[in-house]
Amino acid sequence: MLAGGTLLAQPNNPSPQVALEEDPSEMRVGVENANKEVEKDTRTVIALQLQARKDKDVVRLTCVNDKLLQIKALRNVFDQQRISFEAAEKQAEYGSIVSTASSVRQ
């Protein structure tokens, strides 16, 4: 009975799992791809911000500004993790980078 409760408490879309033995070159490529995605997502939200300003939609602009603030904070974390990964190329850093990039996407 307890196991069933545990299964129900699991999220519908679990975060991507990192392979236990991933090649460092593959991890570097993954970090670069995640960096490109974060950049793309940021540009998308900035474009939404500019459109809301152009339309003079204060409610939408407030919402987009709030999301942009959250993204900027996550980007700071992402950049720190990326720098730490590049210095050490540790598996744990790679997992946290992928997780942070996923948070930005959401």
Side-chain angles (χ1 to χ4, degrees):
M1 223 177 215
L2 291 175
T6 303
L7 290 176
L8 292 176
Q10 299 298 321
N12 290 338
N13 294 329
S15 61
Q17 296 295 322
V18 179
L20 293 176
E21 295 296 324
E22 188 131 3
D23 184 33
S25 63
E26 290 177 8
M27 287 191 290
R28 278 191 296 273
V29 170
V31 168
E32 287 304 313
N33 288 339
N35 190 37
K36 289 177 186 175
E37 285 295 319
V38 167
E39 290 288 330
K40 178 182 155 207
D41 294 337
T42 303
R43 283 192 305 269
T44 301
V45 175
I46 290 172
L48 290 172
Q49 181 188 43
L50 293 173
Q51 185 64 43
R53 278 190 185 143
K54 180 181 174 188
D55 296 343
K56 297 181 182 176
D57 188 341
V58 178
V59 174
R60 187 172 54 170
L61 181 60
T62 302
C63 180
V64 171
N65 283 340
D66 181 51
K67 294 299 178 187
L68 192 57
L69 244 163
Q70 293 172 16
I71 287 174
K72 286 182 178 182
L74 286 169
R75 284 196 58 183
N76 288 338
V77 171
F78 178 84
D79 288 338
Q80 290 172 351
Q81 291 170 339
R82 187 173 46 87
I83 290 168
S84 181
F85 170 79
E86 288 171 356
E89 290 191 9
K90 291 185 179 177
Q91 184 77 25
E93 293 296 327
Y94 180 70
S96 61
I97 287 171
V98 170
S99 176
T100 303
S102 174
S103 295
V104 170
R105 168 60 74 174
Q106 289 177 349

